[in-house]
Amino acid sequence: MIRVAIIGAGNICPAHIQAYLAFPERCKITAVADIYPEKAKARAEQFGLEADILNSHKLLLGSAKIDLVSICTPPYTHADTAVDFLRDGKHVLVEKPMAASLEECDRMIDAAKQSGTVLSVVAQNRFLDPIMNLKRILDSGKIGRVLHAQVDSFWWRGHCYYDLWWRGLWSKEGGGCTLNHAVHHIDMLGWMMGLPDKVTAILSNAAHDNAEVEDISIAALQYDKGAVAQVTSSVIHHGEEQQIVFQGERARISAPWKVYASTSLDNGFPQRHVELERELHEDYSKLPRLVHTGHQGQIDDVLTAIETGTSPLVTGHSGRMTIELITAIYKAGIRQRTIELPIAKEDPYYTVQGILDNAPRFYKKANSVVNLGDGLQIGLGGHYGP
């Protein structure tokens, strides 16, 4: 029985709690901690947990009552909290984003390596059938080499979204929509295509004059052999129509699932390749469905890694790759020029302080509230149906 502590009782923690409760024979939540202990107590009561209630994660260090920790706190706390538990010999699942800088990611990875524990970063959209199946079809090679990728990480958040005490501040949230919303799709892109060689970007705040951070960014990525990608990160798009599209040499595929294939006429103009389209549709339809999806799918994967001594699908190195691409987008957007990857340890943007020293403050944060919309549901994205 794997004993679990939940650190942070805010909006995302119910997704973790419900996922753990789906595996009662494999794990048990034994502690919930939050700097506002009344929130931790309320979460425990909401889900009927018999768990210790604490006001600091540090009170759990050295405890023999926990094996695995889910970190559901604001981004600026992720690295220090994770390192504390990893050095204490505990396994860690940390919410997205992994951290606010590459230096913090590296500290987390090093702590996990030294202690021999599992470190996984939440990327629950990988554990959705449309995304998992898109990856499988892409890996089959049937669409040929990817020539262009399009990532539309479209979200919409109201003006009051940034009134929550830690949101909208570079020092607390680590960034805006690029780091905290598009992180899902940037993870998918890195998982499927790896890191680019060069990045160009623009950052802006078009609709939230109560936040320092960007509410939209647009990035152009250059890969080897001429392949390119475009990534739009936004919290100003009504409808939140999210998609990831790959244009291959022979066909186009995407999530939501859509296929179009072309061949060339003698004059170079296109004609539809119906047979390849049919083949891709058939391959997709035959792929097995996931037993567990979303946070539940990822937590099943983490529990399995702990039980079997294997690596989870989303490792610390996976999380770091995502942060490196996001850091590159910020660096390119702030400096207003094309930058090259990888980002070296000597680069100012490698550290939180370096990012803070250079980050634009689009507006001054106007309001700061402890609780925002308690009891209301939050959207996690991931609507990739037809």
Side-chain angles (χ1 to χ4, degrees):
M1 180 68 69
I2 296 171
R3 297 158 299 176
V4 180
I6 305 292
I7 311 300
N11 288 333
I12 198 62
C13 94
H16 287 244
I17 292 174
Q18 290 171 322
Y20 286 116
L21 292 177
F23 305 103
E25 296 180 355
R26 300 169 67 191
C27 62
K28 180 181 180 181
I29 298 171
T30 59
V32 182
D34 194 282
I35 58 173
Y36 301 104
E38 64 275 13
K39 293 177 68 173
K41 182 180 179 183
R43 288 298 189 198
E45 292 174 350
Q46 177 184 356
F47 293 99
L49 304 178
E50 295 181 3
D52 295 335
I53 305 300
L54 304 152
N55 65 1
S56 172
H57 79 275
K58 291 185 180 295
L59 297 174
L60 287 166
L61 299 176
S63 172
K65 292 184 178 181
I66 59 170
D67 307 296
L68 168 63
V69 176
S70 261
I71 298 175
C72 305
T73 52
Y76 76 99
T77 68
H78 286 182
D80 288 344
T81 305
V83 169
D84 281 347
F85 281 113
L86 292 166
R87 288 177 175 170
D88 199 42
K90 306 301 189 291
H91 306 289
V92 169
L93 173 62
V94 61
E95 256 299 334
K96 62 81 186 171
M98 180 177 179
S101 74
L102 289 169
E103 182 274 332
E104 290 183 327
C105 293
D106 286 341
R107 282 199 287 121
M108 295 164 72
I109 292 169
D110 288 345
K113 182 178 180 180
Q114 291 171 15
S115 64
T117 50
V118 169
L119 170 62
S120 185
V121 182
V122 170
Q124 80 275 9
N125 286 315
R126 289 197 195 187
F127 297 87
L128 297 174
D129 286 307
I131 304 305
M132 188 68 75
N133 290 346
L134 182 66
K135 166 72 169 168
R136 289 166 173 162
I137 296 296
L138 194 64
D139 287 350
S140 74
K142 289 188 176 182
I143 74 164
R145 183 171 63 88
V146 173
L147 309 178
H148 176 264
Q150 175 181 336
V151 176
D152 294 338
S153 190
F154 293 166
W155 309 74
W156 191 92
R157 293 294 182 266
H159 192 271
C160 66
Y161 177 80
Y162 286 105
D163 288 344
L164 191 63
W165 64 273
W166 56 269
R167 288 187 186 140
L169 294 167
W170 285 96
S171 61
K172 296 288 191 290
E173 198 175 10
C177 57
T178 314
L179 179 68
N180 292 288
H181 290 82
V183 61
H184 295 292
H185 299 95
I186 292 171
D187 168 77
M188 296 175 202
L189 181 64
W191 184 37
M192 297 186 195
M193 283 193 69
L195 283 176
D197 299 322
K198 298 179 181 180
V199 175
T200 306
I202 59 172
L203 311 174
S204 185
N205 183 320
H208 297 86
D209 62 3
N210 56 339
E212 295 179 348
V213 298
E214 86 285 355
D215 62 10
I216 185 168
S217 71
I218 301 172
L221 286 52
Q222 300 175 58
Y223 293 81
D224 63 354
K225 298 182 180 179
V228 294
Q230 62 192 70
V231 179
T232 303
S233 312
S234 169
V235 287
I236 62 174
H237 274 71
H238 295 275
E240 300 190 331
E241 296 171 295
Q242 301 166 8
Q243 66 172 350
I244 181 166
V245 183
F246 292 101
Q247 299 283 351
E249 294 169 302
R250 294 188 287 276
R252 167 235 195 263
I253 59 173
S254 65
W257 179 245
K258 181 180 176 182
V259 174
Y260 199 105
S262 304
T263 58
S264 178
L265 295 170
D266 290 343
N267 63 359
F269 281 71
Q271 67 176 355
R272 199 155 189 173
H273 194 335
V274 178
E275 291 181 2
L276 178 56
E277 289 182 11
R278 184 183 299 114
E279 182 179 350
L280 290 167
H281 279 304
E282 289 177 354
D283 288 350
Y284 189 92
S285 67
K286 293 175 183 177
L287 291 171
R289 295 185 64 84
L290 296 168
V291 177
H292 304 287
T293 60
H295 277 82
Q296 189 177 122
Q298 180 152 14
I299 282 174
D300 171 53
D301 180 68
V302 170
L303 294 175
T304 298
I306 294 170
E307 292 162 346
T308 61
T310 55
S311 294
L313 176 63
V314 189
T315 64
H317 291 285
S318 303
R320 187 193 191 281
M321 180 192 299
T322 302
I323 297 302
E324 183 156 21
L325 183 45
I326 290 170
T327 302
I329 292 171
Y330 280 144
K331 180 180 177 181
I334 293 167
R335 293 197 171 181
Q336 299 184 9
R337 64 176 179 84
T338 299
I339 65 102
E340 296 185 355
L341 291 166
I343 293 174
K345 290 186 177 182
E346 299 75 26
D347 192 308
Y349 289 82
Y350 177 76
T351 66
V352 168
Q353 191 57 54
I355 294 171
L356 291 178
D357 289 344
N358 290 279
R361 273 66 174 179
F362 290 101
Y363 296 98
K364 184 177 180 180
K365 184 173 172 68
N367 297 312
S368 181
V369 299
V370 172
N371 295 305
L372 184 67
D374 278 357
L376 298 177
Q377 289 187 333
I378 64 170
L380 301 177
H383 305 295
Y384 302 105

